[in-house]
Amino acid sequence: MDYSFTKKQEELREKTAAFVAREIPREVARKVDETGEFPHELMRKLADEGFWKINVPTKYGGDGGNVIDLMIFFQEISRALPVLSWTAGDVLLYGNNILKVNGNEEQREKYLPGLMKGDLLFCFALTEPDAGSDAANIAMSAKQRGGEYLLNGNKMFISGASVANIAVTNTRTGPDRYNGITSFLVDTSSEGYSATPIKKLGYKGSDTCEVVYKDVRVEEQDILGGTECLNKGWQQMMRLLNGERLVLSACANGISEAVLAETISYVKKRKKSGSPGIKFQAIEHKIAEMAAQLEAARQLSFYSAWLMAEGKECVRETSMCKVFCAETGKQIAHGGMEITGAYGYDMESDIQRFFRDIPILAIGGGTSQIQKNVIAKTLGL
Ligand SMILES: Cc1cc2nc3c(=O)[nH]c(=O)nc-3n(C[C@H](O)[C@H](O)[C@H](O)COP(=O)(O)OP(=O)(O)OC[C@H]3O[C@@H](n4cnc5c(N)ncnc54)[C@H](O)[C@@H]3O)c2cc1C
């Protein structure tokens, strides 16, 4: 088994790291967090540097990358500005990947060029007030009227919903819990679509919204994958799960790397200045534990990604990976806060930002408890 990076992947890592060093100095990251505004300028720069081609098949003019390429990108970005990886998901995951995995030829040709150029943003609307972890409980209705559908209902916590051009909207089109869900590509400029941003603890700038659909009209050819995919929305979502879990694990690892680096730098400075408290071996042991946990998380991530890239069965591993990386990230952020004391708590510090950002990775894309349910099921429980 060899899951070392290819030359092309190493180049991608270096290119992303160089982008981060040049375009996301601390002040820029802090400003995005403080204003809570969607980082349009950074998204434009990422588009101009060709990052939106990473996972588009070469046939459509992309770089043809797989899940490992995506993880490399998301991990590097998360080290500096986690929310930018979340907004990058509006192109790379909700746009490119959804079209690649579930779209039909017509939809790929229609949208992929605009996504790659940075002219289009997508969002993914699944969660509802009464359907979070229990996603199959969605109630948003889509009623057929001739060659079109009328969408009515509410979605909650939809990232990018007020800036996206297309909302991939999951609706109830039949009584069967799993075989009665249809996904539509909804133009957000349609009459009756409105999105209101929600204030939240972290990932500020990701434009997480409550969305109302009131008689929103959609053509039947806007069913994701075409009309033959009516009532196939659940199966389409299942095909995205492994990749999503891995990418979110990479985001958690990026945050953990940043916290660890900040913590080590703080401790070294305190040591130099001769502060007695920081000489305690207990602190060094705590940091050693954080480093070991992070290394285990990284190895599990790239091993699971290797399984997926090789087309091997990996549901258990991707769920293990998601829960392990997210929970490890929370522990590392907590450890960083503990060790840096009041400095980490200060709003001028980056530790407090990472501390506020990390919890979402144990919620979005299936909570830690849901991942444990999946793991238990694969163990025959
Ligand atoms: C910042 C942010 C961005 C988001 N972006 C999007 C987005 O773009 N698109 C989208 O569709 N959604 C999005 N979400 C919603 C997210 O996917 C849901 O929050 C998540 O699925 C959990 O649902 P819930 O919050 O309703 O919690 P609930 O499902 O109500 O769960 C509450 C608690 O109960 C536990 N629990 C629930 N069921 C079980 C069970 N069967 N066994 C054990 N424990 C269980 C959960 O693990 C959790 O701890 C976002 C959320 C946030 C906070």
Side-chain angles (χ1 to χ4, degrees):
M1 166 197 339
D2 176 9
Y3 50 94
S4 53
F5 294 161
T6 62
K7 187 167 173 281
K8 207 171 151 205
Q9 286 166 345
E10 189 48 42
E11 281 166 10
L12 173 64
R13 199 197 61 72
E14 282 166 17
K15 182 180 163 185
T16 316
F19 179 91
V20 166
R22 193 176 61 250
E23 303 292 347
I24 323 180
R26 246 156 235 245
E27 316 79 74
V28 169
R30 282 181 195 172
K31 195 166 168 222
V32 173
D33 181 58
E34 272 164 27
T35 61
E37 284 167 13
F38 190 87
H40 285 290
E41 206 181 316
L42 287 168
M43 292 286 282
R44 167 52 52 206
K45 287 179 177 171
L46 284 164
D48 291 345
E49 294 218 14
F51 285 104
W52 296 161
K53 292 182 177 181
I54 295 177
N55 60 338
V56 173
T58 48
K59 177 179 166 192
Y60 304 100
D63 293 342
N66 64 13
V67 70
I68 302 175
D69 299 77
L70 283 180
M71 289 166 76
I72 291 169
F73 171 82
F74 279 88
Q75 190 161 322
E76 288 299 325
I77 297 287
S78 297
R79 290 167 64 119
L81 181 56
V83 71
L84 185 62
S85 64
W86 210 255
T87 58
D90 298 342
V91 178
L92 295 171
L93 302 181
Y94 305 143
N96 295 351
N97 202 45
I98 284 185
L99 292 168
K100 181 164 93 170
V101 177
N102 292 318
N104 61 17
E105 277 308 300
E106 204 186 325
Q107 290 163 349
R108 290 180 191 141
E109 273 160 23
K110 182 172 176 188
Y111 296 117
L112 286 175
L115 282 159
M116 283 190 284
K117 269 195 256 158
D119 296 341
L120 281 181
L121 289 175
F122 276 41
C123 67
F124 182 73
L126 173 63
T127 305
E128 295 181 4
D130 289 323
S133 298
D134 186 9
N137 204 36
I138 60 165
M140 164 164 291
S141 77
K143 293 259 180 304
Q144 192 166 18
R145 200 179 60 176
E148 62 178 24
Y149 285 80
L150 274 188
L151 270 52
N152 279 289
N154 284 26
K155 293 286 179 186
M156 276 305 284
F157 304 118
I158 309 306
S159 301
S162 82
V163 292
N165 308 89
I166 301 291
V168 182
T169 306
N170 296 284
T171 67
R172 168 81 33 220
T173 41
D176 189 277
R177 205 169 138 73
Y178 300 106
N179 295 312
I181 292 176
T182 301
S183 191
F184 288 91
L185 298 169
V186 178
D187 182 338
T188 60
S189 63
S190 306
E191 212 182 313
Y193 175 98
S194 63
T196 312
I198 295 164
K199 284 190 182 166
K200 55 196 193 308
L201 178 71
Y203 271 78
K204 295 190 178 203
S206 63
D207 185 48
T208 304
C209 297
E210 177 174 6
V211 191
V212 177
Y213 296 68
K214 199 165 180 291
D215 289 332
V216 174
R217 292 165 60 185
V218 201
E219 304 285 325
E220 64 181 358
Q221 65 262 29
D222 292 325
I223 292 176
L224 179 63
T227 47
E228 65 269 31
C229 294
L230 178 71
N231 291 324
K232 297 275 190 293
W234 185 259
Q235 290 81 350
Q236 290 177 326
M237 278 185 265
M238 292 302 106
R239 279 182 226 134
L240 300 169
L241 284 185
N242 284 329
E244 189 182 5
R245 287 175 192 148
L246 290 173
V247 165
L248 295 177
S249 302
C251 293
N253 293 345
I255 296 178
S256 296
E257 284 175 357
V259 172
L260 186 63
E262 278 288 308
T263 308
I264 292 172
S265 148
Y266 169 85
V267 169
K268 279 184 174 167
K269 269 190 221 138
R270 290 292 285 240
K271 269 189 166 174
K272 248 194 202 154
S273 67
S275 172
I278 220 72
K279 281 183 194 145
F280 291 145
Q281 199 181 35
I283 299 241
E284 289 174 3
H285 282 193
K286 177 87 190 160
I287 291 177
E289 278 168 22
M290 286 159 65
Q293 278 178 309
L294 172 58
E295 195 50 42
R298 272 194 297 236
Q299 295 300 326
L300 181 56
S301 305
F302 285 106
Y303 167 63
S304 309
W306 173 80
L307 287 178
M308 186 177 163
E310 291 288 305
K312 296 179 193 291
E313 179 55 49
C314 60
V315 171
R316 182 192 306 171
E317 287 79 3
T318 59
S319 277
M320 284 178 168
C321 187
K322 168 80 168 46
V323 63
F324 188 77
C325 296
E327 295 302 322
T328 295
K330 287 201 291 192
Q331 285 167 25
I332 290 179
H334 190 264
M337 181 67 87
E338 211 173 87
I339 293 170
T340 56
Y343 292 91
Y345 200 70
D346 186 331
M347 290 307 273
E348 290 295 309
S349 120
D350 288 334
I351 297 271
Q352 58 77 28
R353 178 162 55 86
F354 293 124
F355 186 84
R356 286 185 287 109
D357 281 343
I358 192 75
I360 182 57
L361 293 164
I363 302 173
T367 65
S368 290
Q369 291 72 24
I370 295 301
Q371 305 306 330
K372 289 179 195 170
N373 290 352
V374 174
I375 297 164
K377 208 168 160 192
T378 67
L379 296 170
L381 297 169

